[in-house]
C-alpha cells in the first residue's frame, strides 16, 4: 500500500521506477545517521538516456524535463535507502546539479529548476533545499543532466 508521498506522486502522474543500479564502481547511496547521500543520477526517459549539450543542441525546457527525471531517480534511491518506505523521508537537504553545457551557456539554474520545482511540488516544504547548479564540459554517456542529493530520513 503506497504511503502519503507516493500517493502525492501518483496524483502528479509519477510512479517511481526501481532504483537504478550503479553504472560503475560505487554504491547508489550511503546512509550516515539520519542522512542519506545519493550518488549522481543521470537523466533518462522512456526511450533511454537523455543526451544533449545546453548551448549547442538542447533547449532549456527539454533539459529542465531531464532534470525532473533525475529527481524522480533520486527519490527512487531514497525509497530504497528507506527500506521501501518513502514516508521516512523528512526533507531534501541539498541538490547538486551538473549541466552538460557549452562554455558560454549560463542558465544552469533554470535547468536544475526542473528538479527543484518537482521536489517542492511533490513534497511541499520538505522538498525545499539548498542547491548548486554548475556547468560541466561533458557528463557520463553524453547525458544532459546529472544530479546528486542529500536527504534527511527518520
Amino acid at each position: 500500500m503506497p504511503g502519503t508521498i507516493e500517493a502525492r506522486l501518483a496524483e502528479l502522474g509519477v510512479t517511481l521506477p526501481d532504483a537504478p543500479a550503479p553504472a560503475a564502481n560505487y554504491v547508489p547511496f550511503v546512509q550516515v545517521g539520519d542522512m542519506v547521500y545519493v550518488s549522481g543520477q543521470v537523466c533518462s526517459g522512456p526511450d533511454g538516456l537523455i543526451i544533449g549539450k545546453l548551448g549547442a543542441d538542447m533547449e532549456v525546457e527539454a533539459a529542465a524535463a531531464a532534470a525532473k527525471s533525475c529527481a524522480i531517480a533520486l527519490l527512487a534511491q531514497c525509497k530504497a535507502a528507506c527500506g521501501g518506505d518513502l514516508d521516512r523521508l523528512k526533507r531534501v537537504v541539498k541538490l547538486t546539479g551538473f549541466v552538460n553545457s557549452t562554455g558560454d551557456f549560463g542558465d544552469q539554474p533554470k535547468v536544475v529548476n526542473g528538479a527543484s520545482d518537482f521536489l517542492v511540488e511533490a513534497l511541499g516544504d520538505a522538498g525545499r533545499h539548498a542547491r548548486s547548479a554548475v556547468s560541466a564540459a561533458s557528463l557520463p554517456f553524453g547525458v544532459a543532466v546529472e544530479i546528486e542529493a542529500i536527504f534527511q530520513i527518520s
Side-chain angles (χ1 to χ4, degrees), residues 35-144:
M35 304 300 275
V36 174
Y37 299 81
V38 178
S39 296
Q41 302 295 297
V42 297
C43 52
S44 64
D47 299 325
L49 297 176
I50 301 170
I51 308 299
K53 187 179 247 346
L54 279 291
D57 60 7
M58 186 173 224
E59 298 296 322
V60 170
E61 296 76 20
K68 177 182 175 181
S69 79
C70 294
I72 291 169
L74 289 165
L75 287 178
Q77 292 293 359
C78 186
K79 180 180 176 181
C82 291
D85 182 7
L86 193 55
D87 283 343
R88 289 182 56 203
L89 172 60
K90 290 171 94 171
R91 77 166 302 136
V92 181
V93 176
K94 171 115 195 260
L95 295 183
T96 304
F98 304 93
V99 179
N100 187 353
S101 51
T102 61
D104 60 347
F105 181 81
D107 283 336
Q108 291 81 6
K110 289 181 182 177
V111 171
V112 180
N113 278 346
S116 296
D117 293 347
F118 168 73
L119 290 169
V120 172
E121 183 179 19
L123 304 171
D125 283 341
R128 297 192 186 284
H129 51 271
R131 187 181 90 176
S132 298
V134 298
S135 178
S138 66
L139 288 173
F141 315 112
V143 298

Side-chain angles (χ1 to χ4, degrees), residues 23-38:
N25 187 17
Y26 62 91
V27 294
F29 59 83
V30 172
Q31 182 177 346
V32 178
D34 66 348
M35 304 300 275
V36 174
Y37 299 81
V38 178

